[in-house]
């Protein structure tokens, strides 16, 4: 067979920025830094507004027997959706209602036990102002987040939290930037204050995030991922090193337990094998109890899988034996099992 001649590889092209492009790149950085600085000042100004009104808002939210109904239009609506999700995931039942849809039937979602959290930077958003008489008629408490304390929404609300900013990061002063950042931060402050007041724990958080990485780390137990039954590599104390090697190879975990009945006596690993060979032990005649590691690290079935990861990392091992409360061997755990479970 005749092969065609190889083509000469082309050298990678080199690109050079023109003076104008370099100047533009510098302008990008300046613009980006200015935005961060403006929004940082906006957030800093909020600290002094965590006052008695904030306390009152938290008390109202905490005493709500129903759900927090968050509403907002446009960019405020996007912030509202995020805040509703944050409340819900941190122990405060909440959902978002679009103010436009609320006026066409979705107000029926609101019950007398609920509380409305309305977001409008101007405080005069038509779609929200239209809902105020209905909210009043329902007798539902209303908390507002506005940038205008003298607006119609702020004056109508039972409690108004001021999220005004000195300037937007947008040079035109039009696109909501610093104002939406400030609104989001104030909402987060409410959610976390409630989280702490409720004594919300990491386990509670995991229960609402079972599909995520955090949920797996906080909910998954050793018994959920360990290998059991015939998948456990084990030999009796009378076995030789050679017998142990056969079991290690068959189960593919780089280790085997040494058990008397179900009582654990020790473990023999690839590392123990190397040390045995270095010391000249005969594989066919040496009893495994002469070379095993008797003080091995173990875990219990109901321990968190994340705790098993910590033990492995601390002790630089890739496998753990699992013992029940009677100290009987019931399983084995390998680092690859934890990887597959998404804990590592």
């Amino acid at each position: 067979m005749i092969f065609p001649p190889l083509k000469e590889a082309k050298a990678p092209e080199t690109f050079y920025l023109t003076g104008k492009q370099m100047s533009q790149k510098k302008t990008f950085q300046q613009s980006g830094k200015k935005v961060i600085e403006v929004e940082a000042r906006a957030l800093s100004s909020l600290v002094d507004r965590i006052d008695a009104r904030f306390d009152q808002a938290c008390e109202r939210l905490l005493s709500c027997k129903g759900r927090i109904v968050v509403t907002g239009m446009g960019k405020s609506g996007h912030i509202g959706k995020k805040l509703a999700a944050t409340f819900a995931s941190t122990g405060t039942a909440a959902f978002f209602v679009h103010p436009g849809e609320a006026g066409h039937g979705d107000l029926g979602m609101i019950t007398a036990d609920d509380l409305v959290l309305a977001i409008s930077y101007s405080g005069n958003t038509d779609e929200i102002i239209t809902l105020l008489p209905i909210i009043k008629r329902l007798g539902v408490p209303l908390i507002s987040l506005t940038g205008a304390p003298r607006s119609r929404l702020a004056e109508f609300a039972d409690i108004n939290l001021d999220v005004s900013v000195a300037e937007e990061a947008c040079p035109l002063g039009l696109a909501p930037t610093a104002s939406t950042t400030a609104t989001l931060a104030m909402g987060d402050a409410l959610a976390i204050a409630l989280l702490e007041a409720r004594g919300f724990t990491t386990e509670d958080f995991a229960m609402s995030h079972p599909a995520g990485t955090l949920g797996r780390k906080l909910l998954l137990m050793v018994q959920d991922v360990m290998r059991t039954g015939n998948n456990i590599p084990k030999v009796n104390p009378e076995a030789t090193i050679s017998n142990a090697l056969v079991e290690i190879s068959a189960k593919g975990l780089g280790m085997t337990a040494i058990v008397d009945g179900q009582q654990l006596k020790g473990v023999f690993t690839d590392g123990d094998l190397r040390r045995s060979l270095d010391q000249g032990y005969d594989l066919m005649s040496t009893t495994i109890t002469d070379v095993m590691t008797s003080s091995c690290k173990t875990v219990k079935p109901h321990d968190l899988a994340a705790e098993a990861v910590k033990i492995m990392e601390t002790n630089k091992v890739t496998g753990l034996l699992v013992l029940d409360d009677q100290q009987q061997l019931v399983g084995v755990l390998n680092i690859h099992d934890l990887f597959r479970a998404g804990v590592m």
Side-chain angles (χ1 to χ4, degrees):
M1 181 179 292
I2 300 175
F3 293 94
L6 294 175
K7 292 182 179 180
E8 184 177 351
K10 290 184 178 180
E13 295 183 45
T14 303
F15 296 93
Y16 297 95
L17 292 176
T18 65
K20 181 178 179 180
Q21 289 172 325
M22 291 182 68
S23 176
Q24 187 180 46
K25 184 177 180 181
K26 184 177 181 182
T27 302
F28 288 153
Q29 294 177 12
Q30 291 172 338
S31 295
K33 289 178 180 179
K34 183 178 179 181
V35 169
I36 300 302
E37 290 168 356
V38 170
E39 297 200 359
R41 288 195 295 270
L43 291 178
S44 180
S45 69
L46 288 183
V47 175
D48 293 335
R49 298 179 217 165
I50 305 297
D51 51 18
R53 285 181 177 273
F54 185 85
D55 282 338
Q56 294 168 8
C58 288
E59 289 167 0
R60 284 292 186 95
L61 291 165
L62 194 61
S63 63
C64 177
K65 297 179 180 179
R67 301 149 304 171
I68 310 304
V69 182
V70 186
T71 189
M73 195 73 185
K75 302 298 186 294
S76 293
H78 294 311
I79 296 299
K81 291 177 183 177
K82 189 275 177 186
L83 291 181
T86 299
F87 279 122
S89 68
T90 53
T92 299
F95 65 95
F96 177 82
V97 170
H98 190 285
E101 298 296 333
H104 293 275
D106 282 2
L107 269 177
M109 298 179 180
I110 304 175
T111 71
D113 290 330
D114 296 335
L115 180 152
V116 174
L117 177 64
I119 305 171
S120 168
Y121 189 72
S122 70
N124 294 310
T125 304
D126 290 339
E127 291 83 354
I128 292 181
I129 298 302
T130 300
L131 303 178
L132 297 183
I134 311 302
I135 294 173
K136 187 73 170 180
R137 191 178 306 165
L138 290 171
V140 176
L142 174 64
I143 297 174
S144 62
L145 299 182
T146 75
R150 295 185 179 179
S151 62
R152 292 176 65 187
L153 175 58
E155 292 181 346
F156 188 91
D158 297 292
I159 303 167
N160 178 67
L161 297 180
D162 180 9
V163 292
S164 61
V165 298
E167 61 178 325
E168 295 286 8
C170 168
L172 303 177
L174 300 176
T177 46
S179 58
T180 49
T181 300
T183 304
L184 179 61
M186 183 64 81
D188 284 344
L190 290 170
I192 300 307
L194 295 178
L195 175 151
E196 293 179 341
R198 295 182 192 281
F200 197 75
T201 66
T202 53
E203 287 75 17
D204 294 326
F205 190 88
M207 290 300 292
S208 60
H209 298 75
T213 300
L214 179 60
R216 287 193 294 273
K217 287 184 177 180
L218 295 176
L219 294 177
L220 204 66
M221 295 184 178
V222 168
Q223 63 189 8
D224 298 322
V225 293
M226 70 183 188
R227 305 186 190 199
T228 60
N230 291 332
N231 293 318
I232 303 175
K234 56 185 177 181
V235 296
N236 60 51
E238 291 74 34
T240 63
I241 296 178
S242 178
N243 298 142
L245 288 179
V246 172
E247 182 70 355
I248 291 174
S249 299
K251 302 300 169 63
L253 295 180
M255 62 182 292
T256 184
I258 294 85
V259 293
D260 186 359
Q262 286 297 104
Q263 294 295 322
L264 180 67
K265 297 300 181 180
V267 66
F268 185 75
T269 68
D270 290 339
D272 293 319
L273 173 61
R274 289 191 294 272
R275 285 185 287 274
S276 299
L277 293 174
D278 289 341
Q279 295 172 23
Y281 284 101
D282 184 79
L283 302 184
M284 304 300 293
S285 61
T286 304
T287 304
I288 197 67
T289 50
D290 294 333
V291 290
M292 70 181 186
T293 300
S294 56
S295 57
C296 55
K297 297 295 179 182
T298 63
V299 289
K300 293 185 179 298
H302 51 267
D303 287 343
L304 289 175
E307 183 62 26
V309 172
K310 184 178 179 181
I311 293 173
M312 287 184 182
E313 291 176 342
T314 301
N315 295 279
K316 295 181 173 58
V317 296
T318 59
L320 293 170
L321 299 176
V322 186
L323 304 183
D324 63 15
D325 293 334
Q326 286 71 47
Q327 298 302 300
Q328 293 190 335
L329 181 67
V330 293
V332 63
L333 190 65
N334 183 269
I335 192 170
H336 298 297
D337 301 322
L338 296 169
F339 270 118
R340 282 191 292 270
V343 183
M344 298 187 72

